[in-house]
Amino acid sequence: MARKDVNKGSNIDIYRKKIGKQEYRRNKGVVKSIKDTSDAKQSAIGVKEILLVMVAIFVLLATIYLMVFLLFEK
């Protein structure tokens, strides 16, 4: 029976816990939006990758053209 009489903390501690929960709830949406923008930036294809693919295609086409040109030159 004595356990029911024991307080789980002072009124100040209970108040601080309530404030902490409210701040967490308020910040949860902000944290989620920050994570979403970060994921969008990481998953987006950059200019560097696009240029690399275009250069690779250009080199492939130039090589094929050079091979055909040298084959029919004779």
Side-chain angles (χ1 to χ4, degrees), residues 52-64:
L52 186 63
V53 170
M54 290 178 67
V55 167
I57 291 171
F58 175 75
V59 168
L60 179 68
L61 290 175
T63 304
I64 292 172

Side-chain angles (χ1 to χ4, degrees), residues 13 26 43:
D13 291 335
R26 195 175 305 144
S43 65

Side-chain angles (χ1 to χ4, degrees), residues 18-35:
K18 285 181 184 179
I19 295 293
K21 287 179 184 178
Q22 289 174 359
E23 287 295 319
Y24 177 73
R25 284 189 209 128
R26 195 175 305 144
N27 290 334
K28 193 190 280 187
V30 174
V31 170
K32 185 173 177 4
S33 67
I34 291 171
K35 283 183 181 178

